Amino acid sequence: MMYESFALLPAPWGYFHYGWWKLHYSVVMNPVLLLILLAFFKWITHLENKKAAPVSGAG
């Protein structure tokens, strides 16, 4: 959030313009998106660990 608010400052510091998107939308959406990303990461690592487990009785 600090980076976004800094990037929205007027020139010469800021360089970003959201258009219709407001900074308070990001305050609400960023934690939701972070939780989705963490859940996806946990799911992928679970699938990798499941696939990497040795199969017993082979041989």
Side-chain angles (χ1 to χ4, degrees):
M1 291 309 305
M2 289 177 58
Y3 171 75
E4 288 185 43
S5 58
F6 184 74
L8 289 171
L9 289 174
W13 299 284
Y15 55 88
F16 197 70
H17 180 68
Y18 276 130
W20 60 271
W21 189 263
K22 304 293 183 205
L23 192 59
H24 61 273
Y25 299 159
S26 292
V27 171
V28 173
M29 288 304 298
N30 284 348
V32 173
L33 294 173
L34 179 63
L35 289 175
I36 291 170
L37 182 67
L38 290 174
F40 179 72
F41 175 75
K42 187 175 180 181
W43 178 58
I44 293 297
T45 54
H46 171 74
L47 290 177
E48 287 179 348
N49 291 337
K50 186 175 160 182
K51 184 177 179 181
V55 177
S56 60

